[in-house]
Amino acid sequence: MGVVRVGLLLFSVVIIQCNGVPRFANYIQDDMVLQRAPQRAIVWGFGDAGKLTTLRMNNKIYTTISRLEAANELGESIWSVTLDPVSDEGPFDIHVSQALANGTLVTITIHNILFGDVWLCSGQSNMQFTVNMMFNATEEIQHASNFPKIRLFTVSLLPSASPVEELLGINLNWSVASPQSVGGPCWNYMSAVCWLYGRMIHQALGGRPIGLIATSWGGTPIEYWMPPKALQDCNATTSKNVAVQAYNELFVTIPVNHSNLFNSMIYPFTRTVIYGSIWYQGEANAGNPTYACKFAKMIQYWRQIWNDRTNGITDIHFPFGFVQLSTNTNNSAVVGGFPMLRWQQTFNVGYVPNNIVPKVFMAVTLDLRDDPNGIHPRTKLDVGYRLSRSGLAVAYGQQVEFQGPIVQKVDYLTEGTTVNITYTAVSSVELRNPNGFEVCCHDTQCSNDALWVPATVSSKSGLTITLKLDRACFGKPLYSLRYLWRETPCPFKQASIYSATDANLPSPPYMKIFSNS
């Protein structure tokens, strides 16, 4: 069982009182965003068992009967209403009525509700990293009030040994974007990557309302966010001692185990309909050889559970975006565990979207070195831009450029002196510097990083670059080639290969084992 230290100021525990009065689930609140058409939003809450429950919104009336079984230790039962598809963004008020045991009709209301797209943002510290900590924070926070159709929500850092229907704590209740909500306390609210992604797709979609749910915890490995079935599929049923730490000034010690954060910080939302999710995590799993399985299975079971618990409304393949690991040390010579983790984030293909897991997109960030910040680069505007471009293409089907150059083929004549690499996914390649490629001509010893030697780009022709091999490999067969295989592989935005038509889209890291060697 791992131990997480969490700031005392990070959470306010939600205390629920029950006296038979109906109530909304604790994250169903004023100012929230519900999922727009063509999907059907779900509004739910608690009350007495077996009671007729009436919901009124925009001159429409819906009725349901609350469940007979108790849903919590307070004896409350769940009522749930699935709305018709809503295309009008609102705002609306939603009124729910239920009779008490004495016959009194009680009506509860949530106000200023918009219908748009709901995105959930999760991961570890680079997702928890708040707007006020990034570069250009002052301007971003100052202009936040220009986006009143973006609504924000942040979850408290509290684990649970079993799945819970409601959140155990809330840092930021649903709030209209403003300098106060966007510029909240460090590590508390609002997530910079979550906000920037939401703000950029909001603008690209013509001002569509966007609901952003930030639920992340610094220092946490992926196992804490995985449902138990996903862990079983990857043979990870035994918990390990993983020392992680939340980022704040004051700390208490809280035990955290496998699935505990899925139980408390993800599962409660699986009754509500979402459009998609974004994820920034992996630093805590660097060097773990099973990440590809765990990441794929986490996505699969998140999607399946959401689809099941929203009665098939949330897409079984809802869009899932992630940020490929950025940098770590401020030393470009260190290989470390990040390169293989980045590769595993693409399910060992090297790029997404691919055929392994559908509707997955990513932002490449290993060129965003920020000395001296290392593992927490402050260049989140670039992260938001790259991820939003991918989201617009994959999640929304827009015809926008969203990838850097992707390796299409590698040509090498055995015992030759050059290697040709041809790219696709772009119309033209920018060669920003000749470095970053390495080759190994030592057969099984390629696992020894000291035996890799640089291969410098000598020329470019159209979508093909030519590498000149080091003399150490002359007259020898090549066994492997790799690109940007370092924790921090280059100075800021000085990787070798970028799109020539969008200078902010680098080629992802790459690895190839030559089958003819």
Side-chain angles (χ1 to χ4, degrees), residues 282-283 285-288 325 328 334-344 485-487:
E283 297 92 341
N285 289 95
N288 185 323
L325 281 193
N328 189 9
V334 175
V335 175
F338 275 35
M340 186 54 72
L341 196 286
R342 293 183 186 117
W343 188 255
Q344 290 189 80
W485 216 257
R486 294 286 189 275
E487 288 188 342

Side-chain angles (χ1 to χ4, degrees), residues 192-516:
V193 171
C194 188
W195 162 255
L196 292 167
Y197 175 80
R199 193 258 289 169
M200 291 176 184
I201 63 170
H202 166 78
Q203 292 175 286
L205 296 173
R208 177 180 301 181
I210 298 292
L212 299 173
I213 299 168
T215 177
S216 52
W217 191 326
T220 53
I222 195 172
E223 291 85 357
Y224 292 2
W225 301 96
M226 295 171 64
K229 187 65 170 63
L231 290 163
Q232 293 169 14
D233 284 1
C234 295
N235 297 314
T237 55
T238 302
S239 179
K240 299 178 181 179
N241 291 321
V242 182
V244 292
Q245 175 178 300
Y247 298 89
N248 209 309
E249 295 176 357
L250 303 174
F251 297 99
V252 294
T253 298
I254 295 178
V256 182
N257 206 330
H258 286 9
S259 299
N260 281 10
L261 301 188
F262 170 80
N263 292 338
S264 60
M265 298 176 69
I266 301 296
Y267 188 81
F269 294 108
T270 58
R271 280 191 180 275
T272 198
V273 179
I274 64 171
Y275 191 88
S277 179
I278 59 173
W279 173 258
Y280 195 164
Q281 188 277 339
E283 297 92 341
N285 289 95
N288 185 323
T290 63
Y291 192 88
C293 176
K294 291 172 180 175
F295 191 32
K297 290 297 181 179
M298 187 194 80
I299 295 171
Q300 175 189 333
Y301 284 104
W302 277 24
R303 287 169 164 174
Q304 182 176 313
I305 292 168
W306 243 289
N307 181 264
D308 290 345
R309 283 174 50 86
T310 58
N311 299 312
I313 299 174
T314 298
D315 187 354
I316 189 67
H317 293 141
F318 67 71
F320 193 103
F322 69 91
V323 181
Q324 197 175 43
L325 281 193
S326 17
T327 59
N328 189 9
T329 64
N330 296 318
N331 180 351
S332 294
V334 175
V335 175
F338 275 35
M340 186 54 72
L341 196 286
R342 293 183 186 117
W343 188 255
Q344 290 189 80
Q345 286 180 302
T346 67
F347 319 111
N348 299 321
V349 174
Y351 59 87
V352 295
N354 60 44
N355 295 326
I356 306 299
V357 182
K359 292 186 76 172
V360 173
F361 58 94
M362 77 172 178
V364 176
T365 64
L366 76 177
D367 65 328
L368 299 180
R369 176 171 176 164
D370 172 23
D371 296 341
N373 271 38
I375 205 168
H376 296 129
R378 294 163 290 179
T379 49
K380 302 305 186 196
L381 277 165
D382 293 299
V383 179
Y385 173 79
R386 295 174 183 184
L387 193 61
S388 67
R389 298 296 286 182
S390 292
L392 290 169
V394 176
Y396 291 99
Q398 291 196 0
Q399 298 301 306
V400 298
E401 186 174 1
F402 71 100
Q403 290 178 301
I406 302 298
V407 175
Q408 183 180 44
K409 64 177 181 176
V410 179
D411 294 316
Y412 169 68
L413 296 177
T414 302
E415 300 184 5
T417 60
T418 61
V419 177
N420 289 329
I421 302 175
T422 302
Y423 292 91
T424 187
V426 295
S427 59
S428 183
V429 168
E430 177 193 350
L431 178 63
R432 200 162 291 182
N433 77 62
N435 304 312
F437 294 90
E438 299 172 284
V439 295
C440 173
C441 46
H442 291 275
D443 196 5
T444 57
Q445 299 181 68
C446 289
S447 59
N448 182 348
D449 289 316
L451 297 179
W452 288 77
V453 294
T456 306
V457 179
S458 59
S459 63
K460 178 177 79 75
S461 176
L463 291 172
T464 300
I465 65 166
T466 298
L467 304 180
K468 183 179 180 180
L469 297 183
D470 186 274
R471 286 188 174 275
C473 289
F474 281 7
K476 298 180 182 179
L478 284 191
Y479 294 96
S480 297
L481 176 147
R482 66 190 189 186
Y483 171 64
L484 298 185
W485 216 257
R486 294 286 189 275
E487 288 188 342
T488 308
C490 62
F492 179 70
K493 291 188 179 179
Q494 289 300 310
S496 179
I497 306 296
Y498 289 80
S499 167
T501 50
D502 188 333
N504 205 6
L505 294 179
S507 182
Y510 179 74
M511 176 178 62
K512 179 179 178 60
I513 298 174
F514 292 93
S515 58
N516 62 342

Side-chain angles (χ1 to χ4, degrees), residues 3-325:
V3 174
V4 177
R5 295 198 295 163
V6 55
L8 289 172
L9 301 180
L10 278 180
F11 59 84
S12 57
V13 177
V14 176
I15 300 174
I16 302 297
Q17 294 182 340
C18 175
N19 54 6
V21 176
R23 64 181 180 87
F24 295 99
N26 62 7
Y27 63 83
I28 306 291
Q29 303 175 349
D30 295 347
D31 301 322
M32 76 181 300
V33 173
L34 291 172
Q35 183 56 45
R36 71 193 293 269
Q39 292 168 293
R40 304 171 66 195
I42 294 175
V43 178
W44 68 283
F46 296 86
D48 280 342
K51 289 295 182 70
L52 176 67
T53 305
T54 302
L55 183 149
R56 291 183 292 114
M57 189 197 79
N58 195 28
N59 299 319
K60 286 192 175 183
I61 297 177
Y62 305 82
T63 59
T64 188
I65 302 294
S66 58
R67 296 182 180 182
L68 295 177
E69 69 275 12
N72 56 32
E73 67 278 5
L74 301 175
E76 296 176 300
S77 295
I78 289 175
W79 55 263
S80 180
V81 175
T82 302
L83 306 179
D84 294 334
V86 178
S87 298
D88 185 351
E89 67 183 37
F92 299 107
D93 291 348
I94 296 178
H95 312 274
V96 172
S97 301
Q98 193 179 94
L100 300 183
N102 63 9
T104 302
L105 186 68
V106 174
T107 299
I108 56 177
T109 302
I110 51 176
H111 304 277
N112 193 27
I113 306 304
L114 296 183
F115 282 79
D117 287 341
V118 180
W119 284 86
L120 181 134
C121 313
S122 189
Q124 58 179 112
S125 57
N126 267 305
M127 183 64 83
Q128 189 183 350
F129 187 103
T130 40
V131 175
N132 63 349
M133 301 164 65
M134 68 178 224
F135 286 139
N136 301 106
T138 300
E139 181 178 4
E140 196 68 36
I141 292 167
Q142 179 183 351
H143 293 160
S145 56
N146 294 334
F147 307 101
K149 293 180 185 178
I150 304 178
R151 308 295 173 82
L152 314 174
F153 185 91
T154 302
V155 180
S156 297
L157 283 65
L158 292 167
S160 175
S162 58
V164 293
E165 292 289 354
E166 287 191 286
L167 296 171
L168 301 179
I170 297 170
N171 278 8
L172 175 68
N173 289 314
W174 278 109
S175 302
V176 178
S178 68
Q180 291 72 37
S181 59
V182 172
C186 293
W187 301 114
N188 199 347
Y189 61 86
M190 177 61 177
S191 161
V193 171
C194 188
W195 162 255
L196 292 167
Y197 175 80
R199 193 258 289 169
M200 291 176 184
I201 63 170
H202 166 78
Q203 292 175 286
L205 296 173
R208 177 180 301 181
I210 298 292
L212 299 173
I213 299 168
T215 177
S216 52
W217 191 326
T220 53
I222 195 172
E223 291 85 357
Y224 292 2
W225 301 96
M226 295 171 64
K229 187 65 170 63
L231 290 163
Q232 293 169 14
D233 284 1
C234 295
N235 297 314
T237 55
T238 302
S239 179
K240 299 178 181 179
N241 291 321
V242 182
V244 292
Q245 175 178 300
Y247 298 89
N248 209 309
E249 295 176 357
L250 303 174
F251 297 99
V252 294
T253 298
I254 295 178
V256 182
N257 206 330
H258 286 9
S259 299
N260 281 10
L261 301 188
F262 170 80
N263 292 338
S264 60
M265 298 176 69
I266 301 296
Y267 188 81
F269 294 108
T270 58
R271 280 191 180 275
T272 198
V273 179
I274 64 171
Y275 191 88
S277 179
I278 59 173
W279 173 258
Y280 195 164
Q281 188 277 339
E283 297 92 341
N285 289 95
N288 185 323
T290 63
Y291 192 88
C293 176
K294 291 172 180 175
F295 191 32
K297 290 297 181 179
M298 187 194 80
I299 295 171
Q300 175 189 333
Y301 284 104
W302 277 24
R303 287 169 164 174
Q304 182 176 313
I305 292 168
W306 243 289
N307 181 264
D308 290 345
R309 283 174 50 86
T310 58
N311 299 312
I313 299 174
T314 298
D315 187 354
I316 189 67
H317 293 141
F318 67 71
F320 193 103
F322 69 91
V323 181
Q324 197 175 43
L325 281 193

